[in-house]
Amino acid sequence: MRSDELFRRAQKIIPGGVSSPVRAIKPYPFYTVSGKGGRIKTADGTDLIDCCLGYGPLILGHAHETIKNAILEQLENGWLYGTPAEQEINMAERIIRDQPGIEMLRCVSSGSEATMAAIRLARGYTAKKKILKVEGGFHGAHDSVLIKAGSGATTLGIPDSAGIPPGVAEFTRQVPYNDPEALEQILAADPDIAAFILEPVMGNIGPILPDDNYLKEVREITKAHDVLLIFDEVITGYRLCIGGAAKEYGITPDLTTLGKIIGGGLPIGAFGGKREIMEMIAPAGPVYQAGTFSGNPLSLAAGIATIDYLNAHLEEYRHAEERTRAIEESLPSSAGGSFVRLNSIFKYFFRQNPPNNYKEAKESDTDAFGRFWKGALTKGVFLPPAQFESNFLSFAHTDEDIETIAGVYNSCLP
Ligand SMILES: *Cc1c(COP(=O)(O)O)cnc(C)c1O
């Protein structure tokens, strides 16, 4: 196989043979040579229905014409200026219009960079040192959040990365998801917590959905203790609906981080929130944050085109909801696991009931998942290769694709 050959070459010179850990499928990952709509083509000549979609950004599918044209138009005018450009204002205006609680916004180059900056900003604004996160929550790959982290870190069994000094880890505390009492206790006992950062819907371990009222209680408890609430909507922003989880659940956080979909498939991140807090960012204020590629015109062109397309096609969100429901309804009645879905995000857990937190998610039978995953791939459906990663549908998947996906769930589950 060509992929096998490529992986041998890669392993000699790239750690683990991959550029990001979750891609390291055993015995070797397939290499992708092209993508179009809801499908990708591998280096081995196989055509696959893609439910990974770059781990979330490609809500419109691969190589969407509208996005491609926006990128091409920008290419003609160059792709990096190092000066302000109107595109960044156009992006900020759209996100401020769409996402509750954002009065000012800054663009960066990845979701990791966005959460790193939002956390520093929260510390700078509150003059407190610690942050609180959810066990199994994933906020990118930097020191203060790679502690009990979800996504590939959990899949590979290293949720607490080596190389993070205890002195840094000490400043990150953890609380279980869907547990307002634990949140109240920890905030009441520790006055040095600047912010509570969470994925309002846990997208990197499932999805795991919030209990009724959980997010409302989170908002009330953080407010009562003068702790900033940061919604990490890197996955959920523009994925659940226009306005993300904040809109879906009617909760306004103090700060929000975004990424993935807002770059239309090109690298991006953004963080924003209340004016009073955001004005602490340099050069307006003393909290430093900077980036050579921040507000990159190419990413902004792709992102703005995506946001405009989504706003003009709201019916697609309803359509996606119907489609994940159709997949759920195709499950064999004998299936002993649990199917969780929210709009175009879905996942089958090899566990009797849908998990409510990290501890429960980790009780899933990952060996059974591995067998199911291989079966699905053999039948032409590429699912993210881990029990702890969400599956996605794009708006480009065809009715036939959905039937094939549903068929795979029907025939490959034990
Ligand atoms: C993907 C993700 C990140 C990290 O974004 P990158 O662009 O990979 O750095 C942060 N938070 C959440 C919730 C994510 O899903």
Side-chain angles (χ1 to χ4, degrees):
M1 287 290 205
R2 173 98 176 114
S3 289
D4 192 7
E5 270 167 47
L6 290 169
F7 193 54
R8 279 174 219 270
R9 249 171 82 199
Q11 277 178 303
K12 289 185 199 136
I13 46 173
I14 300 173
V18 289
S19 297
S20 195
V22 74
R23 299 177 197 168
I25 298 166
K26 285 185 179 114
Y28 59 87
F30 65 81
Y31 279 68
T32 302
V33 291
S34 65
K36 185 71 195 169
R39 288 169 178 258
I40 49 178
K41 235 186 214 28
T42 75
D44 314 309
T46 313
D47 216 10
L48 296 171
I49 296 171
D50 185 12
C51 292
C52 182
L53 296 161
Y55 290 90
L58 298 171
I59 193 166
L60 300 181
H62 294 270
H64 190 282
E65 284 301 315
T66 307
I67 312 311
K68 188 172 84 182
N69 290 333
I71 293 172
L72 286 173
E73 196 177 312
Q74 179 59 47
L75 271 179
E76 288 298 328
N77 296 321
W79 43 86
L80 183 65
Y81 306 138
T83 71
E86 185 178 337
Q87 290 90 325
E88 64 204 20
I89 310 172
N90 295 338
M91 176 61 100
E93 284 171 349
R94 281 164 172 75
I95 290 179
I96 288 164
R97 175 196 67 200
D98 290 344
Q99 186 75 29
I102 300 189
E103 294 169 352
M104 297 187 100
L105 182 92
R106 179 163 287 175
C107 286
V108 293
S109 301
S110 70
S112 297
E113 227 187 297
T115 61
M116 190 170 69
I119 287 169
R120 185 182 306 132
L121 173 58
R123 287 179 166 137
Y125 177 78
T126 60
K128 295 193 269 185
K129 290 192 287 295
K130 294 181 199 163
I131 58 155
L132 180 63
K133 69 178 276 293
V134 165
E135 285 172 5
F138 184 74
H139 306 291
H142 54 92
D143 285 4
S144 59
V145 292
L146 264 188
I147 299 160
K148 286 205 179 166
S151 191
T154 285
T155 300
L156 295 172
I158 39 174
D160 301 286
S161 171
I164 295 173
V168 171
E170 227 165 73
F171 290 105
T172 301
R173 302 201 59 189
Q174 306 279 341
V175 71
Y177 189 65
N178 275 331
D179 190 343
E181 285 88 48
L183 177 65
E184 168 61 35
Q185 270 176 17
I186 203 167
L187 294 188
D190 191 340
D192 201 23
I193 294 175
F196 179 36
I197 182 168
L198 83 162
E199 300 174 74
V201 172
M202 290 187 81
N204 283 281
I205 206 82
I208 300 177
L209 308 185
D211 289 340
D212 289 350
N213 279 331
Y214 172 63
L215 295 173
K216 189 165 162 277
E217 288 178 78
V218 162
R219 179 63 283 188
E220 284 164 6
I221 294 166
T222 48
K223 194 172 227 156
H225 290 282
D226 262 332
V227 167
L228 295 185
L229 177 60
I230 307 175
F231 269 9
D232 183 355
E233 297 232 38
V234 171
I235 279 192
T236 48
Y238 291 95
R239 170 61 69 178
L240 305 186
C241 60
I242 304 290
K247 181 84 176 187
E248 177 89 13
Y249 295 98
I251 306 294
T252 306
D254 300 298
L255 292 172
T256 302
T257 53
L258 293 161
K260 297 199 168 115
I261 287 176
I262 65 160
L266 292 184
I268 204 164
F271 64 102
K274 287 195 179 130
R275 176 176 304 277
E276 185 192 328
I277 306 174
M278 289 301 289
E279 280 182 338
M280 294 287 286
I281 290 283
V287 178
Y288 198 69
Q289 188 284 321
T292 302
F293 297 109
S294 291
N296 178 262
L298 217 48
S299 296
L300 290 177
I304 289 168
T306 301
I307 289 172
D308 288 350
Y309 187 94
L310 292 172
N311 273 287
H313 294 81
L314 296 177
E315 72 285 357
E316 292 286 350
Y317 285 101
R318 277 194 303 281
H319 195 198
E321 175 93 46
E322 287 160 16
R323 291 176 137 192
T324 48
R325 185 182 314 127
I327 296 171
E328 178 171 30
E329 284 166 359
S330 75
L331 296 185
S333 53
S334 60
S338 50
F339 191 86
V340 182
R341 66 185 171 85
L342 185 61
N343 206 282
S344 55
I345 309 182
F346 63 105
K347 191 76 187 183
Y348 186 84
F349 285 97
F350 286 81
R351 181 185 190 282
Q352 198 174 6
N353 300 310
N356 210 30
N357 57 38
Y358 183 56
K359 188 167 154 277
E360 291 185 2
K362 287 213 304 179
E363 291 164 4
S364 304
D365 182 346
T366 51
D367 291 338
F369 172 82
R371 291 188 292 274
F372 165 68
W373 181 85
K374 278 210 181 82
L377 190 68
T378 310
K379 290 192 151 64
V381 176
F382 174 47
L383 304 171
Q387 171 74 92
F388 307 118
E389 297 284 348
S390 291
N391 301 348
F392 301 100
L393 286 185
S394 78
F395 297 167
H397 282 109
T398 62
D399 290 342
E400 242 183 294
D401 293 339
I402 303 299
E403 270 173 44
T404 306
I405 296 166
V408 154
Y409 276 88
N410 195 278
S411 63
C412 296
L413 286 177

